[in-house]
Amino acid sequence: QGENLLYCFEVAPMQPALTQVTQCRTEGSTRGLAAVPRLALDVMACEVLRVLQLTDTALVPISYLVPRKSMQDFHEDLFPDCVGTLPATSAQAWWAGDNQQVRRVSLHPARRPTETFTSSVIVDTWLRATHTGPTNTDANTDTDQSASGYSSPSSLASPSSATASLSASTGPSSGFASSPSQKSLQNILGPSSRFRHAQGRVLHRDTHLTNLRGLSLTTPGECDGFCANHQRVALPLLSAGGQIAVLEVLRARHGDPHSTGGCGVVTLPGSLPQLSKPGRQPDAAVPTIQNGAAVADLSWDPFDPRRLAVAGEDAKIQLWRIPEGGLQETLREPEAVLRGHTEKIYSIRFHPMASDLLVSSSYDMTVRIWDLSTGQEALRLQGHTDQIFSLAWSPDGKKLATVSKDARLRLYEPRHSTQPQQEGPGPEGARGARLVWVCGGDYLLVSGFDSRSERRILLYRAQALPDGPLSVLGLDVAPSTLLPFYDEDTSIVFLTGKGDTRVFLYEVTPEPPHFLECNSFTSSEPHKGFIFLPKTVCEVREVEFA
C-alpha cells in the first residue's frame, strides 16, 4: 500500500522458490489490490490475469495478456479448467466427514456452466435447498464472464516474443499435486532478463559541465556527435574552421556521496565521472583544435588517450596530439594528415587489438585501412555500391562488418581479401543504420528502419548473413537512427537516437526470443549526443556497470 510498483512472481516448490516474471509501474499509488476471478477473464483476448488496483480516486484494471497469433480460437493450453462456483457439499455433510471437491468447469465461452447457487438466511430454507440441489436459472442471469466483466482500457502486455505454452494435464489432481493452473507462469509469459531491474540515474548536478557554448549539433548521422575516453572529452564546435573543444576528465571518485547503490546502476546523460572543473564553465573562449574543415567524425585512440583522429568534410583524416595537462593554447598543426579518399568521409574506427590501425569509410564508396605509423593507406576494401551507413570491427579484430544504403550487410576479412567474405540482406529503410558486434562476436546487431520508417533492431549470425536476420524487433517511429552501445559483460545493448529522450535497454541472447527487455531510461530533455565511457571508470562498489 502506498507504492506504485506491481511485481509478478512465479512460485515453485523447488529452488529458486520465487522467481520474478515481470513488474509494472502504475500511475497512482496503491490503496488496495484484488485479483479478478478466472471466470471473469477475457479468455478470447488471451487474458491470463487481471488485477484491480484501488487508488485514491479510481479503480484501475491491470490486465496481463499472452500474445498469440490467433485471437479467434480458445487456447486450452492457457486456460485449463478452473474451480466452479457450486458447493461440493453441505455444512452438515462436511461435519459428518464428506470431503468432496468443488467441480472444475471449463473457461471455454461455449461450455460455461449456467447453474448458480444462492445461500438462504433462514436455516430451514437452506436445508431444503441442500436436499433438492442447486437452483437452475436462465443462462442470461449468469454474468457473461467470457466477455470483459470489467473493462480494461489499458493493459500490460507480456513480452511479445512469448510463445511457450502450458501442457494440459488430463489426470486428476488433488491436494498439492501439480495441476495445469499451477504450471509456470514464466513459461507462459516467456523468459525475462537477469538485468531487467537495471536503473538509469542521472548523477548530481555538481558533477555536470554546464554553459557549454557554440556546440555543433549538426554532425552527420554516421557520427555519434562527440567522443570521450577516461581522460578527456572532444566536442565539435559550430565555429568556422572545424574547431573542437577538448575538456579534461578525471576518473570517478570512490565513495561519491551522490552515487546510489542498487541492483545494477547505469549512470546516464550527465553522468561523466568527476570532472577536473565541474559546474558552470566560464564565458571566456577556451583553447581549441583548429581542424580546418567541418568535422564529419572523430575518435580517440583506445591505446593512446592523447591522440585524437578527426575526419573532415575535406576528405582528409587528421591526427592530433593533446599535450599533457590538456589544451593550454589553440592547436593548429596536426601530428599527421591521411590523404586518399576523394569524397567526404562518413566515419572512422580504430582497431580494437592492434595499435596504429584505423579504418574509414567515405562517399567515394570505399573503405580504407590506414597504417598510422607510416601515415599511408594499407588496404582498400571494395564491393560497396551505395552510401556506407556504419562499420565495426569484430571484438577479436579479425573481421570488419558494414551496412549500406543499398540494404546490404557485408563482412570482410581484410587480411585475406579486399572483397566481402559474406553478404546478406540489411534493413529495408534508406534513412540510416548502425551495427555492433554482440554475444562474443558471433552475432551482429543492426539498428535501422523498415519501409514504413519504423525503427527496429535485427540480429544476425555472423557466419550466416545470407540467411537473413534471426530476429527482428520493432521499437517505435522516429526520424533519428538508433545508436547502439553494447556492454559485453552483461550482454545488454543500449539504444537511443539524437533528439530522443528515451534510452532502450535489451539483453541480447543467442537463444530465442533473442531480445529481453529491461527497464528503459527517460531523460527530461532530448539529448544531442550519447557516449559510453570505458568500463574502467565504473564505480563497481556501487554495482555500476555502465
Side-chain angles (χ1 to χ4, degrees):
Q1 291 189 358
E3 298 183 2
N4 65 343
L5 280 176
L6 180 61
Y7 299 94
C8 179
F9 283 87
E10 173 195 350
V11 185
M14 71 286 292
Q15 292 296 331
L18 284 173
T19 305
Q20 185 160 339
V21 177
T22 184
Q23 76 173 43
C24 75
R25 188 178 296 275
T26 58
E27 293 183 2
S29 297
T30 298
R31 302 303 173 196
L33 282 174
V36 173
R38 290 182 63 78
L39 282 166
L41 297 178
D42 188 358
V43 296
M44 299 309 293
C46 295
E47 181 184 44
V48 296
L49 179 66
R50 193 186 312 163
V51 176
L52 297 181
Q53 179 205 25
L54 179 66
T55 67
D56 291 331
T57 59
L59 194 62
V60 181
I62 301 171
S63 179
Y64 290 79
L65 306 176
V66 176
R68 289 293 170 89
K69 289 183 178 179
S70 171
M71 294 294 185
Q72 307 299 320
D73 304 320
F74 176 74
H75 295 277
E76 296 189 9
D77 57 328
L78 296 181
F79 303 104
D81 292 351
C82 70
V83 175
T85 59
L86 300 181
T89 186
S90 66
Q92 285 90 343
W94 183 81
W95 284 112
D98 188 358
N99 289 317
Q100 292 187 65
Q101 302 295 302
V102 173
R103 184 168 60 90
R104 304 182 77 84
V105 297
S106 173
L107 290 175
H108 194 295
R111 299 199 293 267
R112 292 292 179 92
T114 58
E115 304 89 1
T116 61
F117 173 81
T118 302
S119 177
S120 223
V121 177
I122 302 173
V123 176
D124 289 343
T125 307
W126 178 81
L127 285 172
R128 283 197 300 273
T130 60
H131 288 297
T132 58
T135 304
N136 288 328
T137 59
D138 189 89
N140 293 332
T141 64
D142 192 24
T143 305
D144 182 14
Q145 293 160 329
S146 66
S148 184
Y150 301 89
S151 64
S152 52
S154 62
S155 65
L156 296 171
S158 57
S160 60
S161 54
T163 55
S165 61
L166 292 177
S167 57
S169 172
T170 55
S173 63
S174 62
F176 291 100
S178 176
S179 68
S181 62
Q182 294 171 327
K183 295 287 186 177
S184 167
L185 181 59
Q186 190 167 6
N187 285 347
I188 298 178
L189 299 179
S192 58
S193 171
R194 298 168 295 163
F195 307 102
R196 59 189 176 276
H197 303 305
Q199 297 290 330
R201 298 192 181 105
V202 178
L203 292 191
H204 194 272
R205 284 191 65 85
D206 68 6
T207 65
H208 297 193
L209 278 172
T210 60
N211 197 38
L212 301 178
R213 294 169 171 259
L215 297 180
S216 174
L217 305 179
T218 58
T219 51
E222 293 78 23
C223 175
D224 292 338
F226 71 114
C227 65
N229 60 21
H230 65 277
Q231 292 186 4
R232 41 188 65 91
V233 178
L235 297 160
L237 301 179
L238 201 55
S239 309
Q243 295 188 47
I244 302 166
V246 177
L247 307 178
E248 295 296 302
V249 179
L250 302 180
R251 284 181 178 271
R253 291 180 298 181
H254 292 287
D256 188 330
H258 301 293
S259 62
T260 50
C263 184
V265 178
V266 191
T267 50
L268 286 164
S271 63
L272 295 175
Q274 177 63 13
L275 300 166
S276 54
K277 292 182 180 179
R280 181 181 173 87
Q281 299 301 292
D283 294 333
V286 296
T288 61
I289 293 175
Q290 297 276 3
N291 191 63
V295 176
D297 197 12
L298 68 175
S299 179
W300 290 106
D301 189 328
F303 307 111
D304 185 350
R306 293 172 51 206
R307 182 156 68 173
L308 178 68
V310 181
E313 294 188 356
D314 58 357
K316 300 175 186 175
I317 301 172
Q318 302 194 54
L319 303 178
W320 299 89
R321 181 161 297 278
I322 309 302
E324 288 286 354
L327 286 182
Q328 305 300 325
E329 58 184 11
T330 299
L331 279 187
R332 292 183 171 84
E333 290 299 325
E335 186 179 62
V337 180
L338 308 179
R339 295 179 173 87
H341 283 297
T342 57
E343 300 283 349
K344 172 184 169 182
I345 296 172
Y346 295 127
S347 52
I348 52 176
R349 297 288 184 271
F350 277 96
H351 196 277
M353 297 296 173
S355 62
D356 295 323
L357 272 184
L358 181 76
V359 65
S360 62
S361 60
S362 165
Y363 275 93
D364 61 18
M365 288 185 287
T366 64
V367 174
R368 306 185 188 218
I369 299 176
W370 305 86
D371 185 343
L372 304 187
S373 61
T374 63
Q376 300 297 318
E377 177 185 318
L379 189 68
R380 186 180 308 180
L381 302 180
Q382 307 289 347
H384 294 95
T385 60
D386 208 334
Q387 181 180 351
I388 303 164
F389 284 142
S390 180
L391 74 171
W393 290 104
S394 61
D396 58 12
K398 296 179 180 178
K399 299 178 181 179
L400 183 73
T402 67
V403 58
S404 305
K405 192 174 182 178
D406 58 6
R408 301 294 292 172
L409 278 174
R410 293 175 175 86
L411 192 64
Y412 292 86
E413 286 197 53
R415 290 181 294 188
H416 294 92
S417 174
T418 59
Q419 296 295 326
Q421 177 200 37
Q422 289 188 65
E423 286 193 35
E428 302 170 7
R431 300 181 61 175
R434 288 296 191 95
L435 58 78
V436 64
W437 294 80
V438 297
C439 301
D442 295 328
Y443 295 82
L444 277 167
L445 184 144
V446 180
S447 67
F449 298 86
D450 66 4
S451 56
R452 298 169 299 174
S453 296
E454 180 189 41
R455 296 197 296 190
R456 50 174 48 192
I457 52 177
L458 307 90
L459 188 69
Y460 296 80
R461 278 193 65 240
Q463 297 302 320
L465 292 187
D467 296 343
L470 291 174
S471 181
V472 179
L473 179 64
L475 297 183
D476 61 3
V477 176
S480 59
T481 305
L482 286 167
L483 313 178
F485 300 92
Y486 179 69
D487 177 50
E488 61 183 14
D489 298 330
T490 58
S491 197
I492 287 181
V493 64
F494 303 79
L495 299 135
T496 191
K498 296 178 184 177
D500 289 3
T501 57
R502 183 177 180 184
V503 182
F504 297 93
L505 276 73
Y506 287 92
E507 182 183 356
V508 186
T509 65
E511 306 83 19
H514 300 298
F515 300 118
L516 304 179
E517 187 173 7
C518 304
N519 281 340
S520 62
F521 170 83
T522 302
S523 60
S524 56
E525 298 179 4
H527 35 259
K528 307 301 182 185
F530 209 80
I531 289 294
F532 273 66
L533 294 170
K535 291 295 287 279
T536 50
V537 307
C538 288
E539 181 53 87
V540 294
R541 291 187 293 186
E542 298 291 349
V543 206
E544 182 189 43
F545 69 94

